[in-house]
Amino acid sequence: MRHGSVTYFDEAGKPFLPEQVPLNELGRSQASAAGKVFAMEKIHFDRVIVSGLPRTVETATRVLAETGQQIELERWPELQEIRGGKLSAIPDERLTEAFTGAFDGVVPEHRQFLAGESVGQLMDRVHPCIDRLRADTSWDTVLLVLHGGVNRAILSYALTNQRLFLGNLAQTAGCINAIDVGAMHADWVVRMVNYSPLSQLQGESRSTTMEVLLEQYKKFRRA
């Protein structure tokens, strides 16, 4: 899953600390709706893994509350979202590339997210985590509640079995993805991508998450 919706900027476009933002009202509804889907399908989780950031912990907690399962959350900080740099250091003429470039088609490894971590650095920490998880045969079904960029890295890895990053794999807040994995390294199948229980056809906006956030931040730049 991707965590539920959060508010990254205030009404004036000033950014909140991304490491601290909680779910907003919509995000809480998205997390609970996902939990209801798992409950309806009678999905039993052997393990639940989160990145440790508050928005993933709260999402997982709400999912488990709907399923009636009591499972201790495992915090894997290596699976935190791709890390941005200092927004104020990005020149105006590079804002669009900084916000959206890391999620545009097949993304080159050197491409940075918000003048911070590169896509290659993200894959350097995400791929070994997934390999380690797959090598552990003690579980049958695991829930990972992570982030849009991290989920893209995982899905790209599963779809291609290569070190590629497909940036245009949409990850709506609170969405569910499903991957079946086998014992061999290339033995995995992507069953479902970006299923949003509260908005199954996702027709509310034609803009991406980062396009929306860019417009919010521009208010702060113009102030």
Side-chain angles (χ1 to χ4, degrees):
M1 288 186 61
R2 183 188 172 197
H3 61 80
S5 176
V6 301
T7 303
Y8 291 104
F9 298 94
D10 66 18
E11 292 183 359
K14 183 178 180 180
F16 297 115
L17 286 175
E19 298 84 8
Q20 298 179 6
V21 286
L23 299 184
N24 56 31
E25 183 177 356
L26 174 59
R28 292 190 290 271
S29 297
Q30 290 166 334
S32 296
K36 287 181 172 66
V37 169
F38 290 125
M40 182 176 63
E41 295 293 328
K42 296 181 172 56
I43 301 296
H44 174 78
F45 301 117
D46 301 300
R47 300 169 65 180
V48 178
I49 296 171
V50 299
S51 74
L53 294 184
R55 54 194 187 269
T56 65
V57 173
E58 187 176 357
T59 300
T61 301
R62 288 182 173 273
V63 167
L64 289 177
E66 295 294 337
T67 66
Q69 299 176 64
Q70 295 184 346
I71 302 173
E72 184 175 355
L73 305 183
E74 301 177 40
R75 290 166 168 79
W76 288 24
E78 308 98 308
L79 296 177
Q80 290 182 8
E81 181 61 297
I82 185 169
R83 299 169 180 127
K86 193 172 183 179
L87 294 183
S88 60
I90 304 172
D92 288 346
E93 63 272 14
R94 295 195 61 192
L95 268 181
T96 298
E97 177 189 350
F99 268 76
T100 66
F103 303 123
D104 185 13
V106 181
V107 185
E109 290 198 23
H110 68 268
R111 183 72 53 79
Q112 292 176 289
F113 174 67
L114 296 177
E117 190 175 32
S118 71
V119 164
Q121 290 171 321
L122 174 68
M123 291 190 290
D124 282 343
R125 56 185 174 86
V126 170
H127 286 196
C129 284
I130 298 305
D131 290 341
R132 184 171 79 246
L133 180 61
R134 291 190 59 192
D136 182 352
T137 60
S138 66
W139 59 270
D140 179 74
T141 304
V142 60
L143 172 64
L144 296 97
V145 182
L146 304 172
H147 306 268
V150 175
N151 285 358
R152 286 174 173 87
I154 296 170
L155 289 165
S156 300
Y157 193 22
L159 284 166
T160 69
N161 207 43
Q162 299 180 55
R163 186 180 166 89
L164 290 177
F165 188 84
L166 307 177
N168 53 355
L169 286 169
Q171 286 292 281
T172 301
C175 72
I176 300 170
N177 309 282
I179 304 175
D180 265 341
V181 299
M184 303 300 293
H185 189 271
D187 185 10
W188 44 4
V189 176
V190 177
R191 298 283 185 189
M192 181 173 64
V193 174
N194 199 40
Y195 171 62
S196 175
L198 286 187
S199 179
Q200 297 187 33
L201 296 183
Q202 301 179 35
E204 295 85 359
S205 173
R206 302 297 289 271
S207 299
T208 67
T209 298
M210 294 310 300
E211 288 169 344
V212 172
L213 295 179
L214 172 60
E215 292 306 311
Q216 292 175 357
Y217 178 62
K218 281 182 177 178
K219 297 178 184 177
F220 184 61
R221 278 290 180 100
R222 292 191 292 262

